Amino acid sequence: MQTTITARPLTAQDFAPYGDVLAAEGQADKIINQGFCGRWHDRARLDFGPDGRAGISIFKAEPRSLPYTLDLLERHPEGSQAFIPISMTEWLVIVAADAGGAPGRIAAFIAAPGQGINLHRGTWHGVLTPLHAPGLFAVIDRIGATPNLQEFPLEVPRTITR
Amino acid sequence: MQTTITARPLTAQDFAPYGDVLAAEGQADKIINQGFCGRWHDRARLDFGPDGRAGISIFKAEPRSLPYTLDLLERHPEGSQAFIPISMTEWLVIVAADAGGAPGRIAAFIAAPGQGINLHRGTWHGVLTPLHAPGLFAVIDRIGATPNLQEFPLEVPRTITR
């Protein structure tokens, strides 16, 4: 078992099995506002299930530090969940493959300043872990009346380093 | 006619006729993640019309400076549009009441670091005007195949100051 996991830089390619990287990377899809603004268009695969709708919430989380002890993963079976940092600071993203309804192999990424993510519906992930103040994020996720959280405590905690 | 408009601090109360202020202001609605995170829940009145869906795009806009010359307003009749700054910097928000299908009285606000907005469907507004680099925003707006932009050039440009 991997008891220590090294976080690597977040890239769209490496993150593709888990979700989308939301950032002004590469060429803009469109230039708008008389040349003053680039638009990277519709970059998240949003899915709020049959009984949900999109909502925007604000999260303010305590900054964590590395090495970080991971003892819980969770997922939202009914919806995607996007995290947009409201600060130009790096933050820690932890995800895992699914292995028959439980988390499988765990991966950790350091999101660079300016990078947000959208977790695809049902993706196992750690809780929100900013590495610096203010720990402020906009979260675009499913609003709905039916259950949408599965938690999976890890019997053997993992250490996340960089 | 108001040819010079003084921008005032953005508050939820003053902005209510135009949209929602998205910020970690006042008490969190919920404390999650074993006490490590506050959630200000579902703070935007999203509306993407009958033929649209939510999307997340990234905008990168040139910073502007004050006094700013406003010569165009626009609106999206088919959908709401939220702007989340990906930096802790103030930015300029310009909106207008509707007066029979054209912009009416214009208002300008300085969003404080950490404040995003959601423009309600059909609200007249200026183009995205960061006041500082990097000018990076996540935009949650309507994705759809039908027209969703009305532009209104101002015969008499206005000067926005603080």
Side-chain angles (χ1 to χ4, degrees), chain B residues 13-45:
Chain B
Q13 189 177 338
D14 288 356
F15 197 64
Y18 314 104
D20 314 296
V21 174
L22 306 175
E25 293 173 356
Q27 288 281 105
D29 296 305
K30 262 190 258 193
I31 302 294
I32 60 173
N33 299 348
Q34 298 159 309
F36 280 95
C37 187
R39 179 174 177 133
W40 284 257
H41 182 70
D42 193 21
R43 292 298 183 104
R45 197 169 88 205

Side-chain angles (χ1 to χ4, degrees), chain B residues 28 72 81 99 134 147 156:
Chain B
L72 179 79
Q81 188 173 43
V156 180

Side-chain angles (χ1 to χ4, degrees), chain A residues 31-85:
Chain A
I31 302 294
I32 59 174
N33 300 348
Q34 299 159 311
F36 281 94
C37 186
R39 180 175 177 132
W40 285 257
H41 183 69
D42 193 19
R43 291 299 182 104
R45 197 168 90 206
L46 302 180
D47 176 357
F48 304 110
D51 304 314
R53 62 169 175 83
I56 306 177
S57 300
I58 303 294
F59 282 26
K60 187 168 167 53
E62 291 286 324
R64 311 297 181 102
S65 54
L66 297 172
Y68 169 75
T69 301
L70 175 73
D71 57 11
L72 178 79
L73 289 164
E74 61 178 47
R75 66 173 176 176
H76 308 294
E78 295 301 315
S80 56
Q81 187 173 44
F83 293 88
I84 310 292

Side-chain angles (χ1 to χ4, degrees), chain A residues 78-134:
Chain A
E78 295 301 315
S80 56
Q81 187 173 44
F83 293 88
I84 310 292
I86 305 180
S87 63
M88 287 294 285
T89 48
E90 57 180 16
W91 56 291
L92 177 63
V93 175
I94 301 169
V95 288
D98 182 60
R105 190 171 177 79
I106 298 167
F109 299 92
I110 304 287
Q115 287 183 323
I117 63 165
N118 177 57
L119 295 169
H120 292 159
R121 180 176 170 180
T123 301
W124 291 107
H125 61 279
V127 300
L128 181 58
T129 42
L131 295 173
H132 303 279

